[in-house]
């Protein structure tokens, strides 16, 4: 008899990303915090998620919205303190939920004591904790760029030298070739694991090492050119030519082989503890290692890097992704996070957004692998493209506003809109809890840290939706419950079903006891579908009716999705 691998909690769980600053404000200062999260534990449990990925909660000068950490072993004062954090964690565990933290290994804040020391003198013991190189009179060491604008090298007058930063200049890269850096960071990892956290989402994991030969990139490559190419498209991230140019431009700065040795070492640290998980912010399958010795999960980003979630796109994505995974590697799917447009906006066609949002949830929760949701999706929150520059928080909003003026010569309103579109403020606005002022996120007289999307007045809020059985949130609750009640959706085999219409995506999930048939009309047209075998029950339907169990050739409405239980 073949003994079956016992499945782990992180293979079965649905993860929910909380962006702490925008989730719930417990002390009424316009900033989300731990007290707020604690007050929403019932909410999270009723929603039906199993695990939380918490975006950075550490002390930070907040240049890159928390991804510039100035102390890895504490909690930002605006969020609370360590004691409160431990309390939050305990309460989650009591309710059977898990908590995964964001771990930023590549860089620290320039206000981190390590960097303050490092920059203080050439012979400071922490000098070599960061990547310092001398340039030649006004010329940086290489012609490399920062992914967040300008040269990757920042001149530091104090010691007449340059430090390297892949992201903003306020985020100097750590020198991971230095064993002291590794030791310090592994201690950080142990600090949180000892407190009981269930794992980490590893930020920008591909950027940890750069090519130490420092080869130049081809002459003539520039940020302006990249921007010029990208601005021809409304969603440039998926465009092949833009991606190719981008990859060429940054090829010496990412995905170095050394990173895999480091990940194997980190995995060993994690494995000293019981049942913890590592999730890579990367789509590179190499980070699974041999399937057992690097990261447990890596995001299938190609699934969401598309303008439209067509049946063809998903089919192809699944074939490619699933066949590329090493044995024992577990897939991981998501459609949005704090860096990208919200599902509702990214894939909504402007007419069927609600139907699409439900359909894409059904897709995400029935594909093989661990799904990640992003807070606010469950009430159909959309991107809010506010253009008041004084309220931009993400420096990328400002960067793109400036690039638009400089490169495309656009006028003020066009440039502002471009900044709003290309920055990441639009998908990080506060959670909308009710239809009272500020969407119930914070007291009426307080200005929330980012403006609240005014559509909270039009039903896009938790309170108005919970009492309506047809609302987005109630569909989320039902669908999450269906997944929980049917383990076949968590661990069953996945098999694509051939359909006559190219716009219908269909697949089975099955185990010894059960087969479910998923049928998704991924198009704005009515589609017919012939059931491939006998079914006995409709498990869930994104629309109230239109499809009946007796009908062997059902007609599906635009963006309708149905899950059937197969007859034995
Ligand atoms: C990751 C984060 C992003 C951040 C960057 C630098 O991509 O998701 O928000 O800006 O890393 O830390
Ligand atoms: Ca607060």
């Amino acid at each position: 008899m073949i003994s079956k691998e016992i499945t782990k909690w992180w293979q079965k769980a649905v993860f929910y990303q909380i962006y702490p600053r925008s989730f719930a404000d417990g002390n009424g200062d316009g900033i989300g915090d731990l007290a707020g999260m604690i007050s929403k534990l019932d909410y999270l449990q009723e929603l039906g998620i199993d695990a939380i990925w918490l975006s950075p909660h550490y002390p930070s000068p907040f240049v890159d919205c928390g991804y510039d950490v100035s102390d890895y072993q504490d909690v930002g004062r605006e969020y609370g303190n360590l004691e409160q954090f431990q309390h939050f964690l305990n309460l989650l565990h009591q309710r059977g939920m898990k908590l995964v933290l964001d771990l930023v290994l590549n860089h620290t804040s320039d206000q981190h004591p390590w960097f303050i020391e490092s920059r203080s003198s050439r012979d400071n013991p922490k000098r070599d904790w960061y990547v310092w190189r001398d340039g030649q009179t006004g010329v940086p060491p290489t012609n490399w760029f920062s992914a967040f604008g300008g040269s990757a090298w920042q001149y530091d007058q104090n010691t007449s030298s340059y430090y390297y930063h892949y992201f903003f200049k306020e985020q100097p890269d750590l020198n991971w070739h230095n064993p002291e850096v590794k030791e310090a960071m592994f201690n950080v990892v142990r600090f949180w694991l000892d407190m009981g956290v269930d794992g980490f989402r590893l930020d920008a994991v591909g950027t940890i090492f750069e090519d130490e030969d420092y080869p130049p990139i081809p002459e003539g490559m520039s940020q302006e050119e990249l921007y010029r190419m990208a601005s021809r498209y409304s969603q440039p991230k998926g465009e092949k030519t833009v991606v190719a140019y981008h990859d060429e431009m940054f090829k010496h700065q990412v995905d170095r082989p050394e990173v895999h040795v480091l990940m194997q070492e980190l995995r060993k640290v994690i494995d000293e503890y019981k049942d913890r998980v590592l999730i890579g912010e990367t789509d590179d399958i190499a980070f699974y290692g041999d399937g057992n010795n690097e990261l447990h999960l890596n995001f299938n980003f190609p699934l969401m890097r598309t303008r439209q979630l067509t049946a063809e796109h998903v089919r192809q994505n699944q074939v490619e992704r699933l066949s590329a995974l090493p044995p024992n590697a577990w897939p991981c799917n998501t459609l949005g996070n704090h860096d990208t447009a919200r599902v509702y906006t990214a894939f909504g066609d402007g007419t069927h957004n609600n139907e699409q949002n439900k359909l894409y949830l059904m897709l995400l929760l029935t594909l093989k692998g661990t799904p990640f949701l992003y807070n606010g999706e469950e009430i159909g929150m959309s991107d809010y493209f506010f253009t008041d520059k004084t309220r931009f928080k993400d420096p990328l909003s400002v960067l793109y506003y400036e690039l638009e003026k400089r490169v495309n010569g656009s006028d003020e309103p066009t440039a502002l809109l471009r900044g709003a579109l290309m920055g990441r403020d639009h998908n990080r606005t506060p959670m909308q809890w009710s239809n009272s002022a500020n969407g119930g996120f914070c007291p009426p007289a307080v200005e929330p840290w980012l403006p609240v999307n005014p559509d909270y007045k039009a039903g896009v809020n938790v309170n108005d939706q919970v009492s309506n059985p047809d609302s987005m949130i109630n569909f989320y609750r039902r669908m999450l419950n269906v997944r929980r009640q049917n383990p076949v959706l968590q661990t069953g085999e996945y098999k694509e079903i051939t359909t006559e219409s190219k716009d219908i995506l269909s697949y089975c999930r099955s185990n010894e006891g059960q087969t479910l048939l998923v049928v998704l009309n991924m198009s704005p047209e009515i589609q017919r579908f012939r059931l491939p075998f006998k079914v006995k029950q409709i498990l869930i339907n994104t629309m109230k009716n239109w499809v009946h169990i007796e009908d062997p050739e059902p007609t599906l409405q635009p963006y309708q999705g149905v899950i059937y239980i197969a007859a034995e």
Side-chain angles (χ1 to χ4, degrees):
M1 211 178 77
I2 307 158
S3 75
K4 265 213 145 175
E5 257 252 331
I6 302 161
T7 44
K8 304 283 191 194
W9 68 265
W10 47 266
Q11 294 178 295
K12 296 184 273 188
V14 176
F15 280 76
Y16 178 86
Q17 180 188 359
I18 290 186
Y19 194 69
R21 217 170 183 85
S22 285
F23 189 62
D25 177 12
N27 67 350
D29 63 355
I31 298 175
D33 46 46
L34 280 166
M37 288 184 252
I38 290 170
S39 75
K40 298 299 180 190
L41 285 167
D42 285 346
Y43 173 79
L44 293 167
Q45 202 162 20
E46 278 164 32
L47 184 60
I49 52 109
D50 306 289
I52 290 167
W53 151 28
L54 186 64
S55 275
H57 65 289
Y58 313 97
S60 161
F62 217 70
V63 173
D64 188 18
C65 301
Y67 285 89
D68 46 328
V69 179
S70 55
D71 183 350
Y72 286 87
Q73 302 193 181
D74 202 352
V75 172
R77 279 298 150 265
E78 66 273 46
Y79 303 129
N81 55 39
L82 272 176
E83 207 181 313
Q84 235 173 341
F85 175 86
Q86 180 76 69
H87 184 53
F88 175 55
L89 178 61
N90 294 347
L91 291 174
L92 280 173
H93 283 166
Q94 278 165 25
R95 290 167 183 252
M97 289 187 269
K98 306 279 188 182
L99 180 65
V100 163
L101 297 182
D102 219 309
L103 185 66
V104 188
L105 296 175
N106 176 64
H107 50 269
T108 69
S109 158
D110 64 348
Q111 301 305 307
H112 195 294
W114 298 341
F115 187 70
I116 294 175
E117 275 195 53
S118 182
R119 81 187 326 176
S120 66
S121 75
R122 281 183 183 251
D123 51 17
N124 182 279
K126 294 228 166 36
R127 182 63 169 186
D128 192 43
W129 281 41
Y130 293 83
V131 183
W132 291 97
R133 304 259 302 168
D134 290 341
Q136 278 165 4
T137 47
V139 186
T142 69
N143 62 353
W144 295 358
F145 287 93
S146 153
F148 282 178
S151 168
W153 298 96
Q154 177 67 24
Y155 185 67
D156 197 52
Q157 215 137 35
N158 191 36
T159 53
S160 316
S161 191
Y162 289 84
Y163 66 84
Y164 173 74
H165 58 96
Y166 185 82
F167 296 100
F168 294 119
K169 67 178 190 316
E170 293 84 356
Q171 295 167 294
D173 275 45
L174 283 161
N175 173 19
W176 277 88
H177 291 288
N178 184 334
E180 287 171 15
V181 167
K182 188 163 71 189
E183 199 193 318
M185 275 301 191
F186 282 8
N187 285 339
V188 167
V189 166
R190 289 198 175 90
F191 173 81
W192 294 106
L193 293 176
D194 287 338
M195 278 185 91
V197 307
D198 300 288
F200 300 96
R201 173 262 190 192
L202 303 181
D203 183 68
V205 75
T207 64
I208 291 178
F209 289 97
E210 4 344 292
D211 189 335
E212 283 199 299
D213 291 337
Y214 298 101
I217 58 167
E219 278 301 320
M221 281 205 128
S222 75
Q223 205 122 36
E224 278 71 11
E225 182 51 27
L226 181 65
Y227 184 72
R228 205 170 287 125
M229 288 173 80
S231 55
R232 292 189 203 123
Y233 306 101
S234 62
Q235 282 182 26
K237 281 186 183 145
E239 293 300 333
K240 290 208 166 57
T241 48
V242 181
V243 171
Y245 193 92
H246 180 277
D247 288 354
E248 178 70 14
M249 196 159 152
F250 291 101
K251 69 177 175 192
H252 305 305
Q253 298 164 256
V254 295
D255 295 338
R256 304 288 307 161
E258 302 93 295
V259 76
H260 296 291
V261 180
L262 178 66
M263 290 304 112
Q264 287 162 23
E265 290 174 280
L266 179 59
R267 175 64 178 261
K268 288 203 180 102
V269 176
I270 292 285
D271 284 346
E272 291 165 16
Y273 296 76
K274 196 167 168 269
D275 260 357
R276 313 297 166 100
V277 67
L278 289 174
I279 305 147
E281 192 213 355
T282 174
D283 56 37
D284 185 353
I285 277 168
F287 281 89
Y288 281 106
D290 67 8
N292 280 314
N293 64 349
E294 290 193 34
L295 310 185
H296 301 87
L297 298 172
N298 297 292
F299 288 106
N300 173 15
F301 287 134
L303 177 67
M304 70 180 205
R305 285 203 191 113
T306 177
R307 280 152 170 267
Q308 278 181 303
L309 278 176
T310 60
E312 195 43 43
H313 168 75
V314 179
R315 261 195 295 269
Q316 213 183 326
N317 171 269
Q318 289 301 296
V319 169
E320 283 171 16
R321 189 81 188 171
L322 294 175
S323 63
L325 294 181
N328 294 323
W330 193 254
C332 176
N333 300 303
T334 188
L335 294 174
N337 57 46
H338 68 296
D339 289 329
T340 64
R342 285 182 173 278
V343 187
Y344 196 90
T345 306
F347 305 117
D349 67 1
T351 311
H352 302 93
N353 295 46
N354 284 318
E355 293 80 359
Q356 288 175 280
N357 209 53
K358 291 177 183 173
L359 182 76
Y360 301 148
L361 177 74
M362 186 176 271
L363 169 75
L364 196 67
L365 295 195
T366 56
L367 285 177
K368 186 168 184 178
T370 303
F372 274 67
L373 310 175
Y374 177 51
N375 59 193
E377 270 175 21
E378 70 272 28
I379 51 170
M381 276 180 70
S382 56
D383 291 344
Y384 178 34
F385 300 110
F386 61 93
T387 52
D388 175 356
K389 198 164 149 255
T390 64
R391 304 224 46 199
F392 283 173
K393 282 289 183 316
D394 182 7
L396 288 186
S397 305
V398 180
L399 172 77
Y400 285 110
Y401 156 81
E402 283 164 359
L403 277 168
E404 181 64 27
K405 286 191 137 180
R406 196 165 73 234
V407 177
N408 292 342
S410 296
D411 58 16
E412 190 70 9
T414 310
L416 284 170
L417 188 60
R418 199 69 192 170
L421 279 164
M422 301 288 288
R424 298 165 295 179
D425 292 322
H426 57 77
N427 51 307
R428 296 172 173 179
T429 61
M431 181 75 183
Q432 297 158 208
W433 293 102
S434 73
N435 65 10
S436 53
N438 289 327
F441 171 73
C442 62
V446 172
E447 180 168 273
W449 81 281
L450 272 183
V452 179
N453 190 329
D455 69 4
Y456 75 83
K457 294 177 207 140
V460 186
N461 69 71
V462 173
N463 252 7
D464 284 354
Q465 290 191 14
V466 283
S467 50
N468 170 5
D470 296 330
S471 65
M472 190 62 72
I473 202 165
N474 279 317
F475 181 74
Y476 263 68
R477 287 177 176 180
R478 279 200 297 279
M479 189 59 227
L480 282 157
N481 190 45
V482 158
R483 185 178 152 103
R484 179 167 292 176
Q485 300 301 324
N486 294 273
V488 66
L489 288 176
Q490 301 163 352
T491 55
E493 284 308 311
Y494 167 93
K495 187 168 158 271
E496 195 195 312
I497 301 289
T498 315
T499 57
E500 277 161 39
S501 159
K502 67 167 181 30
D503 292 323
I504 292 208
L505 178 67
S506 181
Y507 43 88
C508 285
R509 299 295 308 273
S510 42
N511 57 21
E512 298 84 37
Q514 199 183 25
T515 292
L516 298 182
L517 174 69
V518 181
V519 187
L520 310 171
N521 178 4
M522 305 289 279
S523 81
E525 270 95 48
I526 290 178
Q527 303 281 347
R528 303 209 64 184
F529 178 74
R530 190 174 307 138
L531 293 174
F533 44 71
K534 271 217 154 103
V535 295
K536 64 174 183 193
Q537 195 188 320
I538 292 175
L539 184 59
I540 185 168
N541 183 346
T542 62
M543 293 177 190
K544 252 192 177 155
N545 34 43
W546 299 108
V547 164
H548 303 283
I549 188 69
E550 308 80 38
D551 191 351
E553 243 179 273
T555 303
L556 289 134
Q557 297 301 301
Y559 298 111
Q560 182 170 18
V562 184
I563 304 178
Y564 292 93
I565 306 177
E568 278 98 53

